[in-house]
Amino acid sequence: MQDTDEDVPLYTETELVPNRTAEYYLQYNDVVDINIQTTSPELNEIFGIAAGDQSARMNMAQGAQNGGDIFFMNGYTIDENGLVELPLLGEIELLGLTTKAAQALIEKELQAYVNEEDYFVRVRLGGIRFSALGEFNSVGNFTILQNRISILQAIAHAGDMTTTAKRDEVVLVRQYPEGTKSYRINLNDKRLIASEFYFLRPNDLLYAEPMKIRELGTGITFVQTFQLAVTTLSAVLLVLNALNR
């Protein structure tokens, strides 16, 4: 190991920034994973959680690793009326509820069929879905099978941004139960960590705009720009020479 000056610190650190995570309220087209288990084999079969379904879940988990969505086939999509339709329980409105509130509502409906101590209900989001468009190395729709993902992790999942992307003006389009809003995010600002935009929400869309050099069609580096200028100038001279003949 190389000797260093003892006056140079081994490391530096910044102040601790507390995370800011707001409650997420279920929206239209969200896919929720609703798991209901009871002490009644008959009810379990109705709710589709018989032991044989575990193999299907494992197969879908494998499909998710290959780019699919583990919850799309066996989850429940909130329709345009804010409803999901569950076996036996019928239509239940989940729009605008947190997953905890949705769980409590389903438990209340379930009490008409089974005693309170004889059931288990779990409600969770079917992963974090987001889209990355524009100056990303890998654009498209992505599903992360986690409960939380930061905007930086999402960018990494999309292959990072290209060298011509505006990192100080990333557009974030976010859905709310009452509508949609767009924001411009400065990734270079350390205040981002403490903001409500540091962690993505389901159905967020990220759009990276190109810098002016991309819009003008110039190269990324000086050499590329010089080569492009020489090529353009040569083409112009050839055209002028042909016109003067």
Side-chain angles (χ1 to χ4, degrees):
M1 298 178 62
Q2 183 178 1
D3 292 334
T4 58
D5 191 344
E6 293 184 357
D7 294 332
V8 178
L10 177 63
Y11 66 92
T12 60
E13 62 179 339
T14 61
E15 61 179 319
L16 180 66
V17 178
N19 293 330
R20 180 180 177 184
T21 54
E23 285 278 11
Y24 179 74
Y25 299 93
L26 297 173
Q27 305 172 28
Y28 300 106
N29 298 319
D30 274 349
V31 178
V32 288
D33 176 47
I34 301 175
N35 184 13
I36 302 175
Q37 300 183 40
T38 75
T39 57
S40 168
E42 293 80 8
L43 287 178
N44 288 346
E45 186 173 356
I46 292 175
F47 290 122
I49 58 162
D53 289 340
Q54 295 301 320
S55 59
R57 286 177 177 267
M58 293 178 63
N59 290 335
M60 280 182 284
Q62 180 65 36
Q65 293 177 358
N66 296 328
D69 189 337
I70 187 174
F71 296 118
F72 183 76
M73 297 301 295
N74 69 325
Y76 295 88
T77 301
I78 299 178
D79 66 17
E80 64 276 7
N81 297 314
L83 306 173
V84 297
E85 186 173 3
L86 299 177
L88 188 64
L89 302 183
E91 293 184 334
I92 299 179
E93 183 173 0
L94 300 185
L95 180 68
L97 300 181
T98 64
T99 53
K100 287 294 185 183
Q103 175 182 324
L105 178 59
I106 294 172
E107 288 176 344
K108 181 179 178 181
E109 296 292 330
L110 191 61
Q111 289 173 8
Y113 303 94
V114 63
N115 295 328
E116 183 175 354
E117 64 274 8
D118 294 332
Y119 65 77
F120 166 82
V121 177
R122 182 183 64 196
V123 179
R124 59 181 178 177
L125 284 169
I128 302 295
R129 295 168 178 76
F130 72 94
S131 301
L133 302 175
E135 295 297 311
F136 289 96
N137 288 310
S138 178
V139 298
N141 300 317
F142 302 91
T143 300
I144 307 298
L145 299 182
Q146 299 175 196
N147 293 326
R148 191 171 69 174
I149 180 174
S150 72
I151 188 173
L152 300 180
Q153 289 174 310
I155 291 172
H157 199 78
D160 201 357
M161 301 166 69
T162 67
T163 54
T164 58
K166 291 182 179 179
R167 296 178 181 270
D168 57 345
E169 288 190 18
V170 176
V171 177
L172 169 66
V173 180
R174 175 162 289 177
Q175 298 182 25
Y176 298 91
E178 62 275 11
T180 304
K181 282 186 177 182
S182 62
Y183 307 88
R184 289 188 178 272
I185 309 298
N186 184 358
L187 298 178
N188 300 322
D189 193 327
K190 65 180 181 179
R191 292 175 296 177
L192 172 63
I193 300 176
S195 74
E196 62 182 292
F197 309 111
Y198 184 64
F199 291 105
L200 289 195
R201 295 183 181 182
N203 305 312
D204 275 355
L205 184 149
L206 297 174
Y207 173 66
E209 294 182 342
M211 293 188 291
K212 289 296 182 182
I213 58 172
R214 180 67 175 269
E215 295 174 0
L216 296 174
T218 56
I220 298 173
T221 65
F222 173 77
V223 173
Q224 291 177 347
T225 303
F226 179 75
Q227 291 175 339
L228 181 61
V230 170
T231 302
T232 304
L233 180 60
S234 299
V236 171
L237 291 175
L238 287 173
V239 172
L240 293 177
N241 187 44
L243 293 176
N244 291 331
R245 288 182 179 179

